[in-house]
């Protein structure tokens, strides 16, 4: 009796979902083909309906636990939630629909919070249900839910990149990345910012990596006492979690007066190196510790010295992981705006130029001059209205992402090269 | 020739003795792992160390090439002489000692490098030591940019020759001849173990310590290693730890039984297995204890 009723409900819920699915696919296709033809209001209403539906279905399932929900249904509903979120939050071309915190609670705030509540709640309830459900293979359930967790970051990343590219690609051109902005000549370009960020990263890496790897070698291969390792570990953690603006402030008050008294590339490199250092130490320590001890004893038993062992066996085996760690750090510092704002950058400076074709071919002068940097550039275009249009900001963002990806690509190459040699 | 534990050889004899152990105690912190062991290992013979798990076989082995130095809290008392030279005296260069007394481990541990670089590792490390200790210009010139010209600093032969010879001696050359510059990690377990033996031979050792070298291998690979040990005993002194009684009987000339850190019996393998002096030995080799 009860089961029949439940089955009915389920059939109903499922067909409801099915129709909604068709409708929303239609809406999204229309949106992609003819964005202007769909009014924002309709979108928001549609999105809200989708969510309410999702919520209702979940509530239904929640109160009828005996019904043994279908895994596919949950995955489907989560997918719908995701679609609803996309429709609600991102498609209106006028910009984001954000809550107005000054006034009353606006409808958009309601939908927004509803979205997150539903998303989190439904995920949780769904997981519980599937986990408890005897009908389902719980191994499979875990597999699907973990697979879902892979999809989310992938989707977020893909979305970020797609959005940035779609907004920014309009302004990207060879001129844009090879020229500097000049009001008098009417050119628009971010070449100085690219080179500034490039040299910041190079400098910070050159400062941080030798010190960080050196510290890690000492900690893992030489230090006997546990408290030294713990002390350094805690210090590194503290440094890593220190807000970046504090680094900037420190650089501004302590470093800048001791270098030239004004913003310099060098100050930026040093401060970013200080930010990069803790992660380098942590990942290098981890990497060195994971090198099997058999390698060490094998090498020492052949009569080699400790340093030879470290240099020829331990470090090469650890390099892939060290590189990965450093890259994560670079990813972070490349986009830092707060610290360099105080100590290194100035709008509309020219690119640092270390090399020349005449003697002495290499100059250290640029180290002591201001630079421009991509994240700062982005900030100033968007917030302070310096420079050009919003499109330019997206273009800059795109270049910044590309630059970070370039470093990642380099790192992955190095890593796979050593992995191929390693293979344990 | 009959030898007895703790019997000192007369001076005329000492040419035959490769390792001389006198009243050896080894401690890990408070715990004593080796108790007053005296034992002479004869040159160019295979000596097997047998005994139940935890009786100190590995500890004894590590005491000889001073690998115990690497373990925090390990302490060695008593005397070990290799070629009449006390191993634990101040003026011993540990790297020289380990070059002379090679070790093969239980688990094959090739480096994540090419086969060639694995074999050349010992000689290259030796060159590094030379560079540190000598001011001779010839030793300080690294010859890495012409691989053909690289020579082993140990015997001055070309490195290629040393590598091939070592692989040949370890009965591995045929199998790896045309993949010398590929990663050693891609070899099978048995091949890896023979590679480790070859790697150890490349430093021209006199003594090879082996700690259960076949226990992680399949019977066929283990058999090949056993044959190899047999060949090696013509030129090298081999001290091998094994849990496998048949193996000890098959390959060794002398056998020592350790029990709870003490040396129970030591003598020619045949005699020890056929008419053991001690009751404990008999019980152990017939599998009634341990
Ligand atoms: N690194 C170490 N630190 C502390 N104690 C150790 C260490 N290595 C060995 N011991 C102790 O010393 C004793 C002898 O150990 P050892 O490894 O020499 O035995 P073994 O005869 O080689 O045993 P197995 O046949 O299992 O390899 C054991 O009681 C062991 O607990
Ligand atoms: Mg052992």
């Amino acid at each position: 009796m009860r089961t029949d009723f439940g089955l009915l409900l389920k059939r109903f819920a499922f067909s409801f979902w099915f129709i909604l699915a068709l409708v929303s696919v239609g809406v999204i296709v229309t949106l992609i083909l003819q964005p202007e033809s769909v009014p924002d209001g309709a979108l928001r209403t549609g999105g809200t309906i989708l969510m309410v539906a999702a919520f209702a279905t979940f509530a239904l399932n929640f109160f009828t636990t005996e019904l043994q929900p279908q895994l596919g249904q949950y995955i489907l509903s989560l997918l719908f939630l995701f679609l609803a979120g996309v429709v609600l939050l991102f498609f209106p071309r006028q910009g984001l629909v954000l809550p107005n915190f000054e006034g009353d609670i606006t409808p958009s705030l309601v939908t927004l919070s509803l979205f997150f509540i539903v998303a989190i709640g439904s995920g949780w309830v769904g997981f519980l249900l599937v986990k408890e459900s005897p009908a389902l293979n719980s191994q499979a359930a875990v597999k699907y839910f973990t697979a879902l967790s892979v999809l989310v970051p992938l989707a977020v990343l893909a979305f970020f990149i797609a959005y940035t590219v779609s907004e920014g690609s309009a302004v990207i051109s060879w001129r844009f990345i090879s020229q500097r902005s000049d009001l008098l000549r009417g050119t628009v370009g971010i070449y100085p910012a690219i080179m500034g960020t490039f040299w910041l990263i190079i400098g910070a890496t050159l400062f941080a990596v030798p010190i960080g790897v050196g510290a890690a070698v000492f900690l893992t291969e030489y230090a006997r006492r546990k408290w030294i390792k713990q002390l350094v570990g805690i210090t590194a953690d503290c440094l890593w979690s220190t807000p970046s603006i504090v680094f900037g402030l420190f650089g501004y008050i302590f470093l800048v007066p001791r270098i030239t008294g004004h913003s310099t590339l060098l100050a930026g490199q040093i401060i970013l190196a200080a930010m990069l250092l803790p992660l380098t130490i942590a990942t290098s320590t981890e990497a060195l510790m994971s090198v099997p001890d058999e390698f060490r004893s094998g090498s020492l038993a052949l009569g080699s010295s400790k340093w030879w062992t470290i240099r020829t066996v331990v470090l090469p085996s650890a390099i892939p992981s060290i590189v990965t760690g450093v890259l994560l750090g670079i990813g972070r510092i490349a986009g830092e705006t707060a610290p360099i704002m105080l100590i290194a950058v100035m709008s509309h400076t020219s690119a640092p130029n270390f090399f020349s074709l005449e003697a002495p071919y290499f100059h250290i002068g640029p180290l002591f001059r201001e630079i421009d940097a991509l994240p700062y550039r982005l900030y100033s275009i968007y917030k302070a209205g310096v420079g050009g249009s919003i499109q330019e900001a997206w273009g800059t963002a795109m270049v910044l992402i590309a630059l970070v990806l370039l470093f990642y690509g380099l790192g992955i190459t190095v890593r796979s090269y050593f992995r191929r040699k390693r293979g344990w | 020739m009959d030898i007895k534990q703790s019997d000192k050889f007369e001076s005329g004899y000492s040419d035959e003795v490769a390792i001389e152990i006198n009243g050896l105690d080894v401690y890990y912190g408070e715990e004593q792992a080796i108790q007053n062991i005296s034992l002479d290992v004869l040159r160019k013979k295979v000596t097997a160390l047998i005994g139940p798990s935890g009786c100190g076989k590995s500890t004894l082995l590590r005491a000889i090439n001073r690998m115990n130095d690497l373990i925090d809290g390990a302490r060695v008392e008593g005397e070990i002489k290799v070629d009449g030279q006390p191993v634990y005296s101040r003026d011993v260069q540990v790297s020289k000692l380990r070059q002379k007394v090679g070790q093969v481990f239980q688990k094959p541990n090739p480096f994540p490098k090419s086969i060639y670089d694995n074999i050349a590792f010992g000689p290259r490390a030796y060159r590094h030591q030379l560079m540190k200790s000598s001011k001779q210009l010839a030793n300080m010139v690294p010859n890495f940019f012409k691989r053909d010209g690289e020579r082993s600093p140990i015997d001055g032969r070309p490195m290629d020759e040393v590598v091939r010879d070592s692989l040949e001696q370890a009965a591995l050359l045929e199998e790896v001849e045309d993949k010398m510059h590929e990663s050693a990690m891609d070899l099978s377990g048995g091949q890896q173990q023979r590679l480790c033996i070859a790697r150890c031979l490349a430093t021209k050792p006199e003594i090879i310590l082996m700690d259960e070298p076949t226990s992680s291998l399949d019977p066929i690979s283990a058999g090949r290693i056993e044959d190899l040990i047999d060949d090696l005993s013509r030129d090298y002194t081999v001290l091998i730890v094994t849990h496998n009684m048949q193996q000890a009987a098959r390959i060794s000339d002398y056998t020592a039984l350790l029990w709870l850190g003490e040396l129970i019996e030591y003598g020619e393998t045949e005699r020890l297995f056929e008419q053991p002096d001690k009751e404990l030995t008999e019980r152990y080799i017939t599998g009634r204890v341990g």
Side-chain angles (χ1 to χ4, degrees), chain B residues 83-104:
Chain B
D83 279 348
Q85 267 209 319
V87 162
Y88 283 90
S89 89
R90 272 185 181 280
D91 48 314
V92 161
Q93 261 188 300
V94 180
S95 55
K96 278 259 170 68
L97 170 74
R98 291 185 187 149
Q99 175 254 316
K100 200 161 159 180
V101 185
Q103 184 176 0
V104 176

Side-chain angles (χ1 to χ4, degrees), chain A residues 36 104 140 169 174 290 399:
Chain A
E36 284 76 30
D104 305 323
S169 54
W174 176 245
S290 71
V399 172

Side-chain angles (χ1 to χ4, degrees), chain B residues 77-194:
Chain B
E77 280 167 18
E79 188 186 49
I80 299 180
K81 284 183 183 170
V82 169
D83 279 348
Q85 267 209 319
V87 162
Y88 283 90
S89 89
R90 272 185 181 280
D91 48 314
V92 161
Q93 261 188 300
V94 180
S95 55
K96 278 259 170 68
L97 170 74
R98 291 185 187 149
Q99 175 254 316
K100 200 161 159 180
V101 185
Q103 184 176 0
V104 176
F105 297 82
Q106 177 172 359
K107 220 178 105 203
N109 59 347
F111 303 128
K113 299 170 181 291
S114 72
I115 293 170
Y116 188 102
D117 289 342
N118 261 280
I119 311 287
F121 188 90
R124 285 173 183 163
Y126 190 83
R127 182 189 305 128
H128 176 69
Q129 296 290 340
L130 279 184
M131 274 156 61
K132 275 201 307 193
S133 59
S134 102
K135 300 282 175 286
Q136 272 189 331
L137 202 62
N139 290 328
M140 296 169 72
V141 179
N143 40 14
F144 43 70
F145 43 87
K146 33 177 195 171
R147 169 161 263 154
D148 292 343
E150 187 175 2
R151 283 175 180 276
S152 163
I154 297 171
D155 51 10
R157 287 188 304 154
M159 191 66 91
D160 287 351
E161 202 181 303
V162 171
V163 170
R164 290 182 68 87
D165 263 18
S166 309
L167 286 169
E168 175 95 67
Q169 280 189 71
L172 187 62
L173 185 62
E174 261 176 46
E175 287 153 77
V176 300
E177 195 152 24
D178 37 63
K179 46 180 180 179
M180 290 281 224
H181 296 288
E182 283 167 38
S183 172
M185 308 304 270
D186 298 337
L187 298 175
S188 75
Q191 289 174 325
Q192 288 188 0
Q193 194 62 300
R194 275 179 280 146

